[in-house]
Amino acid sequence: MGGALPRGGLSELPQARDRRVVLPEAMTRYRCNQKACCCQGWLIHFTVDDIGRLASHLPEDERAARLEGITIISEDTLDKPGEVPHVRLDPVSADGKCRFVEGTGGCEVHRRFGPAALPGLCVNFPVVPIARGPNPMEQEVPVELHFDLVCPSVLDQIAESDAPYRMVEGISSDIEVAAPRVEFVAGHPNVSLNGTVPATFEQLDALRMRIMEACNTHPGTIFELLADISYALGKAATSGDLDAFRVVPVANRDEFNTFLGKTINAHDPAALARNFMTYQRFVFDVELPVLDLRARLTKVYAEWHQSYDERVGPFLPQSLLRRYLAHRYVALFASAARRLHFSYGSVVHAFALALRTMAALCLLTDRKQVDLPIAKASIGAAEYFYRSFLLAMPEGSMPWFVPAEPPAPT
Ligand code: SF4
C-alpha cells in the first residue's frame, strides 16, 4: 500500500529469513507509486496481530488517540482454521483515506517506524505471496509472488516492454520487492479443476506454464489465442485430464467468438460507470473530465460499439494484451475461488470488459486510437470489476467449450 519498501527492509523485520522466490521477471522492477491509491476507498482490513504490532511501535502518549475507533468486524473468522480475525480502522479519515496516509500520499507508519510496524496487508499489497506447498512455514519451500493487476504500478510493469512474459527465481534478500513479503506468506490453497477434480500443484504448474508459453508464441491473433486457451481448458475440465492439457489451434472458434461477443456487451452501462468511478483512484495517466463524469461514463459505456470498431480494434496493443493474459493465467492460484475453471473463466470476462472500457475511454477522452495509458486503465478497471463477482458467477457464465472433433478420416 502506501508503504514503499526500501532495499534492506528485510533486516528491519522480525524473524526475517531468506526464502527462494519465484516471480514474474517484469515485477522484479516493481515499485510502489506512493500515491495512496490502495490506502483509501475501502475498509482496509487489518488483523488483530497487525494492530498489536502497530500499537507497540506508537509512543504511549499517542497510542490511544491514534488507534481510537478501531472495531472488530468479523469475529466469525475465529472459528475458521487458517483464517485470522480482521479488524478495520473505523472510521478512516473523513476523506475516506487510511488515517495514516500523509499529505504526499506516503504512509506515516512506514516513514516513522519502518515496515516492521506495518500491517501485513500493507507490506504485501499488491503482492499475494503463496508458498509452493501447503505449509508456508517450511523454509525450503519456495514462495511465489503474484501481483494484483488493479495496481497501476503492476500495469506499468506489464506494459514496460514487448518481451515474452517469463518467470524467474531468486533469493528473497536479493530482490527488493520480495524481501519483506516472504514474511507474510500463505500456504498454497487446495485447488480443484471444476469443484470435483482436485489438481495437484505440479499439474497446475505445468498447465499454466503451457498457457504462458502459448501467450508468448501463439501465431494467431489475441482473440485466437484466448479462444484456443479456453477450448483447451474446456477439454481438460470435461475429461478431467489435466496432464493432457495443450493449447492447440482450433479449427472452428465460432462458439467462443459468439460467447465473447455476448460477454463484451453483457453489463449495464450504469453499473460499469459506477465501477469506474470507484476505480478511478488508481488512474493517474489518463486525464478524466471532472464535470458529470459518472453520467458521461454511462453514455460512453452504452455507445462503445463504433468507437471499438474505429479506435480500438485496428490498434489493439497486442504485446500488452499477451503479457496481460500470461500474467493473469499464471497468477490465478491466488484467486479466492480455488476452483480453477472459475478463475480461468473470469479471464475471458475481464478481457472482454477491458476492450469495451478501451472503446468507452477513447470516446470519453476524444482519442482517435487506443494508447497504452487507456489500455492499462481499462485492464485495471476490468479486473477491479470482476474481482467482486468471481465467487458469485453462475456456472453457465463460464466459457467452457469443448472443441468439435475434426471429422474422422474416411
Ligand atoms: S497503514 Fe500505511 S500502508 Fe497501510 S493502509 Fe494505512 S497508510 Fe496505507
Side-chain angles (χ1 to χ4, degrees):
M1 302 175 84
L5 296 159
R7 202 162 188 84
L10 183 69
S11 61
E12 299 173 58
L13 285 166
Q15 305 138 12
R17 283 158 293 188
D18 264 349
R19 291 283 290 259
R20 276 198 302 140
V21 289
V22 180
L23 73 165
E25 192 277 335
M27 298 305 154
T28 58
R29 294 174 289 286
Y30 169 87
R31 298 286 180 281
C32 171
N33 64 13
Q34 292 281 291
K35 292 179 180 169
C37 38
C38 53
C39 300
Q40 58 183 305
W42 66 304
L43 295 178
I44 310 179
H45 292 183
F46 295 167
T47 68
V48 172
D49 282 353
D50 290 334
I51 296 296
R53 201 168 52 249
L54 179 56
S56 73
H57 282 81
L58 286 167
E60 210 172 322
D61 57 344
E62 289 182 33
R63 206 171 287 155
R66 299 310 307 274
L67 298 181
E68 187 188 356
I70 288 176
T71 51
I72 295 180
I73 57 166
S74 56
E75 291 175 278
D76 55 330
T77 57
L78 286 166
D79 298 330
K80 295 182 186 165
E83 290 189 30
V84 286
H86 288 86
V87 298
R88 77 178 184 211
L89 295 181
D90 187 20
V92 291
S93 58
D95 57 3
K97 291 181 178 166
C98 171
R99 63 182 69 183
F100 298 109
V101 171
E102 297 190 306
T104 56
C107 168
E108 180 195 342
V109 176
H110 185 265
R111 177 181 58 77
R112 291 178 65 191
F113 311 116
L118 280 174
L121 183 70
C122 305
V123 174
N124 278 353
F125 193 86
V127 179
V128 182
I130 296 183
R132 292 174 74 121
N135 181 1
M137 304 315 290
E138 266 181 54
Q139 289 292 306
E140 306 70 39
V141 174
V143 175
E144 286 195 0
L145 303 181
H146 298 301
F147 290 72
D148 194 321
L149 282 159
V150 303
C151 169
S153 299
V154 170
L155 287 161
D156 285 345
Q157 291 312 120
I158 299 285
E160 71 166 357
S161 85
D162 295 343
Y165 187 93
R166 62 191 178 89
M167 304 290 284
V168 292
E169 278 195 54
I171 299 296
S172 54
S173 56
D174 292 340
I175 301 171
E176 180 179 341
V177 71
R181 292 174 167 102
V182 295
E183 293 304 306
F184 294 93
V185 63
H188 185 271
N190 291 326
V191 176
S192 73
L193 178 57
N194 52 16
T196 54
V197 180
T200 66
F201 179 83
E202 290 71 26
Q203 286 175 317
L204 291 170
D205 201 32
L207 178 146
R208 65 191 180 138
M209 289 304 123
R210 285 178 186 142
I211 296 179
M212 185 179 83
E213 188 59 21
C215 290
N216 290 333
T217 60
H218 191 288
T221 66
I222 194 78
F223 297 103
E224 291 165 348
L225 165 66
L226 188 57
D228 291 346
I229 294 170
S230 300
Y231 281 116
L233 288 165
K235 199 170 175 183
T238 308
S239 67
D241 186 3
L242 273 174
D243 297 329
F245 178 87
R246 298 285 185 282
V247 181
V248 292
V250 173
N252 183 344
R253 303 181 178 99
D254 288 352
E255 198 172 4
F256 176 84
N257 291 335
T258 302
F259 177 85
L260 188 66
K262 286 182 181 163
T263 303
I264 199 169
N265 214 15
H267 297 290
D268 172 30
L272 297 178
R274 201 162 50 239
N275 174 71
F276 198 91
M277 291 298 289
T278 314
Y279 178 71
Q280 68 169 310
R281 69 181 189 273
F282 293 94
V283 178
F284 300 98
D285 297 346
V286 179
E287 205 168 318
L288 297 164
V290 178
L291 279 181
D292 296 329
L293 180 57
R294 185 156 161 182
R296 293 170 77 172
L297 279 165
T298 304
K299 188 169 179 339
V300 295
Y301 265 122
E303 297 172 358
W304 65 277
H305 298 83
Q306 191 176 347
S307 175
Y308 180 84
D309 289 345
E310 295 174 356
R311 309 178 193 207
V312 178
F315 308 105
L316 278 176
Q318 297 277 344
S319 296
L320 169 69
L321 291 175
R322 280 175 181 263
R323 282 165 63 91
Y324 160 50
L325 289 181
H327 182 86
R328 189 64 158 69
Y329 281 112
V330 165
L332 281 172
F333 295 21
S335 159
R338 296 180 187 178
R339 294 171 69 191
L340 195 63
H341 69 324
F342 270 84
S343 301
Y344 279 158
S346 74
V347 179
V348 178
H349 285 274
F351 179 84
L353 180 53
L355 297 184
R356 181 168 170 184
T357 304
M358 287 179 210
L361 292 184
C362 281
L363 260 185
L364 184 75
T365 60
D366 208 17
R367 302 276 215 285
K368 296 291 173 256
Q369 67 182 68
V370 65
D371 56 21
L372 278 183
I374 292 279
K376 286 187 290 179
S378 300
I379 292 170
E383 291 289 334
Y384 189 74
F385 185 76
Y386 271 103
R387 67 169 44 215
S388 29
F389 283 138
L390 189 56
L391 288 171
M393 286 170 80
E395 197 77 35
S397 67
M398 290 299 156
W400 281 121
F401 312 118
V402 181
E405 293 297 336
T410 51

